[in-house]
Amino acid sequence: MTAMSPAPEAIVPEPEAGEPKARDLRSWLPTVRDTVVAIVLALAVGAFLIAISDDDVIEAIGNLFSNPGSFFVYAGDILRYSVRAVWDAYSALVDGAVGSGSSLQRTLERSAPLICAGLGVTIAFRAGLFNIGATGQMLVGALAAGYVGFTYDLPPGIHLLAAIAAGLVASAIWGGIVGVLKAQTGAHEVITTIMLNQVARFTVLYFLAKEAFQRPGSDNLLSPPVADNATYPTLFGLHLGIPVALLAAVGVWWLLERSRLGFEMRAVGASPEASRTAGMSIAKVYIATMAIAGLLSGLAITMTLLGLQQSVTDQVVGSVGFDAITVALLGRATPFGTVLAGLLFGALSAGGLGMQTSAGVPPELIQVVQALIVLFVAAPALIRGLGRFRRRRKPATAEPKGAAA
């Protein structure tokens, strides 16, 4: 009996050089599509709200109901007034965001802290943590950076670096506290960050009432302005915090995608138990992640305090701390996406002033649009989840063995 010859090995064609890159690009297309659709839908709902709040539209609607016989006349008025109101509002939004050099400058200046704070939330997301404490981290960083900025008299450059370093260290420590509590006691980071936000606020109020932090001749809780040597220099009218924010995004990308710590963060975020089994220190990852998140929040507040506002108050952070969560969500917890989301929200914030002054649209509408963007970004995942739920509830039918579920 002759021996059977071995079956020939299956020949698998090697992928072309550009195929992996093209596959990666195609995998991003659904995300980009969903995000664009979310923004368009949010703007559409915002247009509806603008239209129904316009005085001329409201008057035309009242005339329509009081005189139904002239339906087509008043319906035409409603349509004409609505289109005019929406056009005026969104034209003012675009002009206020990018319509001139000063508008573009204002947009970039408002985007820089959003990008950095959003990166702090993004890096926590990748490690499976929800950092709601950017506000508290920024407040503590402002206190430290402001104190160095208005107390000491250092040479130019050195003074700025010292103030930035003080803000980064203080914010990193404040964020690291959350990581320690999570690693050592299991305390949920959402609870601890919310509580530490309040602790940070009242800590700032306490110090602002002290003579060392009180502005001379003022009874308000306001610090002296930081020295000129401790402020970001400007180039073509823009302070250098803006390119620093972009460099921070590149640094976060490298950390997450090219470093060992970043690999551990992503692994722990995907499965803490599997990471522990593989020999990774979950405690180290939690502490390092929250410390880095705090550091990025501290970098964000330096761009406000040392670039724009230049005095410490309990309101120095504004809404940036919580807007950073929205930026990270819209950016899909990626550094590049966070930069784009930060630029978008900076444009909405700057353009909202133009809408208010030129078109008489209330500034709260911009916050509604921002909330709707996040809502519609989350909607596709919700719809897919409902679809899977319906498929699971569908009565079982006989299927051939090996058929896909």
Side-chain angles (χ1 to χ4, degrees):
M1 181 176 180
T2 59
M4 296 180 61
S5 59
E9 295 182 358
I11 300 176
V12 180
E14 295 184 0
E16 297 181 3
E19 187 175 342
K21 188 176 295 185
R23 190 183 300 116
D24 291 342
L25 181 60
R26 287 194 299 269
S27 68
W28 275 97
L29 289 179
T31 299
V32 174
R33 179 200 60 208
D34 293 344
T35 304
V36 172
V37 170
I39 295 171
V40 172
L41 287 175
L43 292 175
V45 176
F48 173 76
L49 296 176
I50 292 171
I52 63 173
S53 62
D54 183 74
D55 292 336
D56 292 332
V57 174
I58 293 173
E59 182 180 355
I61 292 174
N63 294 333
L64 174 64
F65 282 102
S66 62
N67 190 5
S70 302
F71 173 83
F72 292 103
V73 174
Y74 292 122
D77 290 342
I78 293 172
L79 179 60
R80 184 172 66 255
Y81 294 146
S82 298
V83 171
R84 185 193 64 190
V86 173
W87 176 263
D88 290 346
Y90 282 156
S91 296
L93 174 65
V94 174
D95 288 341
V98 295
S100 64
S102 60
S103 299
L104 183 59
Q105 174 185 346
R106 184 164 56 247
T107 294
L108 293 175
E109 288 175 345
R110 295 192 176 208
S111 299
L114 284 170
I115 291 171
C116 289
L119 290 171
V121 180
T122 290
I123 203 168
F125 277 155
R126 300 296 290 271
L129 301 172
F130 196 1
N131 178 25
I132 308 184
T135 298
Q137 295 152 15
M138 293 173 72
L139 282 171
V140 172
L143 198 65
Y147 182 77
V148 173
F150 62 71
T151 301
Y152 299 102
D153 184 15
L154 301 174
I158 296 177
H159 201 173
L160 173 61
L161 293 176
I164 293 175
L168 297 184
V169 171
S171 297
I173 292 174
W174 202 256
I177 292 173
V178 178
V180 171
L181 292 174
K182 174 78 172 181
Q184 301 301 324
T185 68
H188 201 286
E189 69 277 4
V190 171
I191 303 299
T192 54
T193 49
I194 291 175
M195 294 298 101
L196 284 174
N197 283 346
Q198 295 301 314
V199 173
R201 178 174 177 269
F202 287 109
T203 300
V204 170
L205 288 173
Y206 172 81
F207 278 103
L208 288 178
K210 299 300 179 181
E211 184 177 356
F213 283 84
Q214 186 69 36
R215 176 175 292 189
S218 175
D219 295 330
N220 298 322
L221 296 178
L222 181 69
S223 77
V226 298
D228 291 339
N229 289 346
T231 59
Y232 279 101
T234 59
L235 182 64
F236 303 114
L238 297 173
H239 70 71
L240 293 185
I242 296 166
V244 170
L246 299 179
L247 289 175
V250 174
V252 170
W253 171 84
W254 181 88
L255 174 66
L256 289 173
E257 303 296 336
R258 294 292 184 267
S259 71
R260 176 177 179 178
L261 177 59
F263 172 77
E264 293 178 347
M265 288 178 179
R266 292 185 284 115
V268 171
S271 176
E273 295 302 323
S275 301
R276 183 180 289 109
T277 302
M280 299 180 189
S281 172
I282 308 300
K284 182 195 76 172
V285 170
Y286 283 157
I287 295 171
T289 298
M290 290 308 302
I292 295 172
L295 184 143
L296 289 165
S297 297
L299 182 60
I301 195 57
T302 65
M303 296 174 184
T304 300
L305 181 65
L306 307 179
L308 300 174
Q309 189 162 324
Q310 300 183 0
S311 292
V312 181
T313 70
D314 65 318
Q315 301 296 324
V316 66
V317 174
S319 63
V320 173
F322 286 104
D323 288 345
I325 301 172
T326 308
V327 168
L329 288 171
L330 181 60
R332 306 288 181 152
T334 63
F336 180 67
T338 301
V339 170
L340 295 181
L343 291 171
L344 172 64
F345 276 57
L348 290 174
S349 177
L353 297 176
M355 291 178 67
Q356 183 181 7
T357 56
S358 301
V361 177
E364 291 78 12
L365 180 66
I366 290 298
Q367 298 178 10
V368 172
V369 171
Q370 292 174 349
L372 287 171
I373 289 174
V374 177
L375 177 63
F376 288 125
V377 164
L382 176 61
I383 294 171
R384 287 193 295 267
L386 291 174
R388 287 194 295 268
F389 176 74
R390 286 196 297 269
R391 285 196 297 270
R392 285 197 295 267
R393 293 292 300 271
K394 185 177 179 180
T397 57
E399 292 182 349
K401 184 176 180 180

